[in-house]
Amino acid sequence: MLSGVKSDSHTWNLVYLELLLRERGHDVLNLGPCVPVSLLVDEAVAVRPDLVVFSTVNGHGLRDGIEAIQALRARPILAEVPVAIGGKLDVAGTTGSALSDPLLAAGFTAVFNDDQMLDAFHAFLDTVCVKRD
């Protein structure tokens, strides 16, 4: 399952990630941009995804991501689902542990916010997802 954070209206990043995931053999439910947390949780409960990926460009990933992951993790059925977030996570363009640590502590499985994020994301997918042929 792929989603933007609730305040991010960008779509190109979601289209790119959907294509990347499909090329790797994964089924993708792309919820699109500006996804309210309640819709995100309802869809995740209904679909029971193998993975949830958030992408953000507007710089509010830290704030919106923490709210989203707390809502997902509050549902026992989603407690063990791997959840990743990546992109521009704050408006200053900060990278590294200053942003990843609070997101990981809130419940994310992985955070991608530096120059190597695409390679790291591919490696992450190799460890958490089973391809469906």
Side-chain angles (χ1 to χ4, degrees), residues 42-65:
D42 289 347
E43 287 296 317
V45 167
V47 172
R48 307 269 313 270
D50 296 325
L51 171 67
V52 177
V53 176
F54 288 95
S55 179
T56 181
V57 178
N58 73 347
H60 297 292
L62 177 64
R63 180 194 64 207
D64 291 349

Side-chain angles (χ1 to χ4, degrees), residues 62 87-90 93-104 111 113:
L62 177 64
K88 186 175 178 189
L89 301 175
D90 74 354
T94 307
T95 61
S97 62
L99 290 177
S100 60
D101 287 353
L103 290 162
L104 292 168
V111 178
N113 70 330

Side-chain angles (χ1 to χ4, degrees), residues 17-87:
L17 283 170
E18 180 176 353
L19 291 171
L20 181 148
L21 290 164
R22 287 189 189 280
E23 285 178 359
R24 290 179 56 103
H26 302 289
D27 296 328
V28 178
L29 170 60
N30 186 343
L31 298 178
C34 296
V35 178
V37 173
S38 60
L39 174 63
L40 169 76
V41 172
D42 289 347
E43 287 296 317
V45 167
V47 172
R48 307 269 313 270
D50 296 325
L51 171 67
V52 177
V53 176
F54 288 95
S55 179
T56 181
V57 178
N58 73 347
H60 297 292
L62 177 64
R63 180 194 64 207
D64 291 349
I66 288 175
E67 180 183 357
I69 194 64
Q70 288 173 340
L72 288 170
R73 294 299 187 220
R75 294 293 188 94
I77 199 167
L78 303 172
E80 300 299 319
V81 173
V83 182
I85 189 168

Side-chain angles (χ1 to χ4, degrees), residues 4-14 32-35 56-58:
V5 295
K6 72 178 188 176
S7 69
D8 197 331
S9 63
H10 293 88
T11 58
W12 61 265
N13 52 319
L14 298 170
C34 296
V35 178
T56 181
V57 178
N58 73 347

